[in-house]
Amino acid sequence: EVPFDDRVNHRATLKDLNVRRIEEYLYAVKSALHHEMPGLPLKDLCLRMNIAGGADEDLRPKNIGLMLFSDEPQKFFPRTTIDVVKFKDDVGDDFDEKIFSGPVHEQVRAALKYIKDLEIVEHVHKVEGRAEADRFFNYPYAAIEEALVNAVYHRSYEEREPIEVRIYSDRIYIISYPGPLPPLGKDNINKPIVTSHRYRNSRLGDALKELELTEGRCTGFPKIRRALKDNGSPPPVFETDDDREYFMVTLRINPRAQELAEKMTVGTREKSREKSR
C-alpha cells in the first residue's frame, strides 16, 4: 500500500502549491535543484521533486507536497495543528492556549520556539570549593524538540486530531494520534532498546531529516532519554493503549529545578503578605 504522504491528492491542483515555499525549502536543504528553478516550469519541478503524480494531462499534488508547500495544509488535512496549552493550575480551569497551523515544518519550528521562550528555564548553581558552577534546565530543550518532532513525524494526517502539548507546573505531556505501529505496543514501548522499521510518513520523515529537524531511523527514544539523563531529569514515560489509539510522552521537571521554583513561589507569597500588612 502507498503511504498516505506519498499518495496523489485529487482534491488539490498544482496551484495549491506555493512556489516561494518550494524555493525556500530547496535552498534550506542545499539542493542543486534550487539553481535550476528559474527556468523550470512548475509541472517539471514537481515531478523532479516527486511531489506530484497522476496522468500527464491531469497532474495533481501528492500529500507530501501539500503538507510542506501549501499555504493552508489544514484545508486538506483538517485539524492537523499543534495545540500548546499552558495550565496555570492542576485543576485545569485556568490556562493559555496557542494553536500552530500552516506547513508542517513551519508549525513545528514555531511551536518549539514558543515552548522554549515560554517554559525553558536555565539554573546556575554555584558549588562551594569548585570554580565551575552546575548548570541545568527545568526541561532540556533537546528532549522536547525530539518528542514533538517525533509526534509530527509519526502521527496520522488522515485523522482529524491535533498534536497536543500540555504544560503543567511539574510535567509536560506530548500527545499524538494514533499510537505507534506494531511491533511497538503498550508492553514494550518503555523498554531500553526498542526498534521499529515501520514508518507512517516516510516521505515527511525524509523531509524533516533534510531540514535537520530529526535524525530519523529510530533515534528519537534514545535521544530523549539521553537528554533527560544528562540534565539530571527523571526518565521519560512513553504510553499507548491496547488498541494503539494514542501515543503520549511524559517529561517530568528536573527535581532541583522544581525545588527552586517552589522556594521562589513561597518567597513571592511571603513578600506579598508583607506588603499587604
Side-chain angles (χ1 to χ4, degrees):
E1 190 185 357
V2 179
F4 180 76
D5 59 352
D6 201 34
R7 291 179 205 163
V8 172
N9 193 311
H10 293 283
R11 295 189 299 115
T13 70
L14 296 190
K15 288 180 181 177
D16 289 303
L17 301 176
N18 184 320
V19 179
R20 180 185 58 81
R21 291 189 186 281
I22 295 174
E23 185 178 12
E24 286 173 353
Y25 171 83
L26 292 174
Y27 178 79
V29 302
K30 299 177 176 64
S31 170
L33 198 51
H34 178 259
H35 302 293
E36 298 178 45
M37 268 195 74
L40 207 58
L42 177 61
K43 181 179 171 182
D44 294 342
L45 177 65
C46 290
L47 286 171
R48 292 271 296 274
M49 293 177 69
N50 191 18
I51 58 170
D56 199 45
E57 65 278 4
D58 188 33
L59 205 63
R60 300 278 177 161
K62 289 189 172 184
N63 286 327
I64 183 62
L66 296 167
M67 287 175 187
L68 298 174
F69 309 125
S70 167
D71 289 331
E72 294 182 77
Q74 284 70 43
K75 192 165 85 173
F76 307 101
F77 321 111
R79 299 198 71 216
T80 53
T81 55
I82 299 173
D83 299 0
V84 181
V85 187
K86 164 86 173 179
F87 291 93
K88 297 176 183 178
D89 58 39
D90 286 336
V91 180
D93 290 336
D94 192 8
F95 61 86
D96 291 328
E97 182 179 35
K98 193 166 177 68
I99 297 172
F100 296 88
S101 58
V104 173
H105 56 302
E106 293 181 19
Q107 265 187 53
V108 75
R109 280 193 175 131
L112 284 168
K113 184 183 184 307
Y114 177 76
I115 294 166
K116 189 176 187 179
D117 294 344
L118 176 76
E119 190 63 21
I120 305 293
V121 178
E122 183 180 19
H123 296 278
V124 181
H125 179 66
K126 289 184 180 178
V127 183
E128 198 176 331
R130 209 173 74 194
E132 214 174 286
D134 268 354
R135 290 178 179 271
F136 57 94
F137 295 85
N138 55 347
Y139 300 96
Y141 176 73
I144 295 171
E145 179 183 40
E146 196 63 33
L148 186 58
V149 172
N150 193 60
V152 166
Y153 181 1
H154 294 291
R155 68 174 298 171
S156 168
Y157 288 84
E158 294 178 87
E159 292 202 13
R160 299 187 175 196
E161 293 289 350
I163 289 170
E164 299 171 60
V165 181
R166 299 179 186 173
I167 303 171
Y168 291 88
S169 61
D170 62 347
R171 64 204 184 280
I172 296 174
Y173 297 127
I174 298 174
I175 310 158
S176 56
Y177 305 88
L181 290 167
L184 290 182
K186 192 173 82 169
D187 298 328
N188 66 359
I189 204 165
N190 281 292
K191 287 185 177 176
I193 300 171
V194 180
T195 57
S196 171
H197 297 290
R198 296 184 66 194
Y199 303 99
R200 193 170 273 124
N201 303 294
S202 53
R203 292 287 308 277
L204 179 60
D206 290 342
L208 295 173
K209 193 175 176 184
E210 284 186 320
L211 290 164
E212 297 182 353
L213 284 167
T214 182
E215 292 173 14
R217 304 299 169 205
C218 307
T219 57
F221 286 13
K223 194 172 176 182
I224 293 167
R225 285 194 179 97
R226 186 169 63 248
L228 290 165
K229 187 178 179 183
D230 291 349
N231 189 60
S233 301
V237 177
F238 303 115
E239 186 182 319
T240 187
D241 59 4
D242 289 326
D243 298 321
R244 299 184 177 89
E245 289 185 353
Y246 73 93
F247 177 65
M248 182 165 79
V249 182
T250 303
L251 306 175
R252 289 170 290 170
I253 194 169
N254 175 294
R256 291 165 74 192
Q258 185 176 14
E259 196 179 313
L260 289 168
E262 285 169 358
K263 279 180 184 174
M264 200 178 292
T265 304
V266 170
T268 306
R269 280 179 191 152
E270 285 174 354
K271 279 181 185 175
S272 59
R273 279 199 204 103
E274 284 171 16
K275 281 181 183 178
S276 60
R277 278 174 192 164

